[in-house]
């Protein structure tokens, strides 16, 4: 009998809970109200409207544009203070070419890829590379891009063994077209959009520089592309990006790498990946 009364008590309590519980319509209204008044519903997907809540920028990062770049095949890379080469910025010792003189176990000849107003000699801010971005993060500008690539073995015993890149399947002769490992960095600033105005964003670059098919017509200059992946470096970026992360791919293609002496030439730049606060 006690069990029966206990059972009746459970039924009565359940009815009380049902009466006191808010209707589904009320719950829906409460949820909608929260999304308008609080940023807690915002996520890294960027699906919410940043103008209505304090959302982080969307994860997608797309930026592309045209500008000037130079392939300085100087033999010493992007850092060689004693070289006298006016194009070399000499601002990052980490881009020293690996040679026995620099303490390396190999003895290589290097080139340097440069772009952005901070790298011109003298520096010219008007030469920054304007990049078109997406609708949320907006547009960007490359203020500096540097990349070292080693192309020759200074200890080679013959011209046929000097070039160290891997043949890319194009061109006749011993050397033909080749690909070379490369590494460097680029600095970007936003010029409008969700995070404008923003300080410097520093991306490390690593990838491969490849010659295009060697042309028989000497009047048309040789071209090449620098492709690879980028990684956001929050330590070298401004404090605004101290907790950011992100990876993606990039392309830098140059229309003239055969000029002697080296000269800036029309080039294309693109970045495709994500930036995540």
């Amino acid at each position: 009998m006690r069990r029966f009364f206990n059972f009746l008590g459970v039924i009565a309590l359940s009815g009380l809970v049902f009466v006191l519980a808010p209707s589904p319509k009320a719950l829906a209204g409460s949820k909608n109200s929260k999304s308008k008044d609080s940023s807690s519903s915002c996520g890294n997907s960027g699906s919410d409207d940043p103008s209505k809540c304090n959302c982080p920028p969307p994860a997608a990062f797309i930026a592309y544009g045209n500008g000037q770049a130079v392939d300085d095949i100087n033999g010493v890379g992007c850092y060689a203070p004693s070289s006298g080469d006016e194009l070399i910025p000499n601002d990052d010792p980490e881009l020293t070419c690996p040679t026995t003189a620099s303490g390396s176990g190999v003895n290589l000849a290097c080139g340097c890829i440069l772009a952005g107003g901070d790298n011109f000699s003298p520096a010219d801010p008007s030469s920054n590379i304007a990049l078109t971005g997406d609708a949320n993060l907006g547009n960007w500008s490359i203020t500096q891009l540097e990349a070292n690539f080693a192309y020759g073995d200074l200890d080679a015993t013959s011209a046929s063994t000097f070039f160290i890149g891997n043949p890319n399947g194009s061109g006749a002769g011993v050397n033909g077209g080749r690909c070379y490992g490369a590494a460097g960095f680029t600095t970007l600033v936003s010029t409008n959009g969700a995070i404008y105005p923003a300080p410097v964003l520093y991306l490390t670059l690593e990838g491969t520089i490849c010659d295009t098919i060697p042309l028989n017509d000497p009047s048309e200059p040789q071209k090449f592309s620098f492709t690879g992946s980028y990684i956001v470096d929050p330590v070298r970026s401004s404090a605004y990006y101290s907790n950011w992360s992100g990876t993606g791919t990039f392309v830098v293609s140059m229309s003239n790498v055969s000029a002697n002496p080296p000269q800036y030439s029309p080039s294309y730049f693109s970045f495709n990946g994500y930036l995540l606060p």
Side-chain angles (χ1 to χ4, degrees):
M1 181 65 71
R2 178 176 299 175
R3 292 180 181 178
F4 179 73
F5 283 119
N6 288 342
F7 178 70
L8 291 178
V10 169
I11 294 177
L13 181 59
S14 300
L16 179 61
V17 171
F18 179 80
V19 170
L20 295 179
S23 66
K25 185 175 182 180
L27 283 173
S30 173
K31 182 177 180 180
N32 291 338
S33 174
K34 182 178 180 181
S35 66
K36 292 180 180 179
D37 299 332
S38 170
S39 64
S40 60
S41 67
C42 297
N44 286 332
S45 66
S47 59
D48 294 291
D49 185 352
S51 66
K52 296 182 179 180
C53 57
N54 187 25
C55 300
F61 174 52
I62 300 172
Y64 58 92
N66 296 301
Q68 297 282 318
V70 63
D71 165 30
D72 188 9
I73 307 178
N74 51 33
V76 293
C78 297
Y79 187 84
S82 62
S83 71
D85 185 342
E86 293 184 355
L87 291 177
I88 298 178
N90 290 323
D91 59 355
D92 191 341
E94 293 176 342
L95 294 183
T96 301
C97 186
T99 62
T100 52
S102 65
S104 174
V106 292
N107 199 26
L108 304 180
C110 296
C112 179
I113 303 300
L114 300 171
D118 287 354
N119 278 331
F120 277 65
S121 181
D124 181 6
S126 67
S127 299
N128 291 336
I129 314 300
L131 302 179
T132 300
D134 61 19
N136 293 301
L137 289 180
N139 300 328
W140 298 80
S141 179
I142 297 176
T143 58
Q144 191 172 21
L145 186 150
E146 298 180 23
N148 251 17
F149 66 98
Y151 61 84
D153 180 4
L154 294 176
D155 292 331
T157 56
S158 67
S160 62
T161 59
F162 174 76
F163 291 98
I164 61 175
N166 294 320
N168 62 12
S170 67
V174 176
N175 297 322
R178 289 177 175 262
C179 295
Y180 306 94
F185 71 92
T186 187
T187 55
L188 301 93
V189 295
S190 65
T191 54
N192 66 2
I195 56 176
Y196 173 80
V200 172
L201 176 65
Y202 186 107
L203 307 179
T204 59
L205 309 176
E206 57 183 34
T208 306
I209 288 176
C210 288
D211 297 319
T212 59
I213 298 174
L215 302 172
N216 293 325
D217 183 0
S219 65
E220 185 172 351
Q222 180 69 30
K223 307 172 181 63
F224 77 32
S225 62
F226 176 24
T227 60
S229 60
Y230 73 78
I231 301 174
V232 173
D233 188 335
V235 175
R236 302 189 188 194
S237 301
S238 297
Y240 180 93
Y241 299 107
S242 60
N243 294 317
W244 286 46
S245 62
T247 61
T249 60
F250 72 89
V251 174
V252 179
S253 59
M254 300 179 61
S255 63
N256 185 354
V257 296
S258 57
N260 188 19
Q263 63 185 27
Y264 279 86
S265 63
S267 303
Y268 173 78
F269 305 79
S270 72
F271 297 85
N272 192 342
Y274 74 91
L275 301 178
L276 194 61

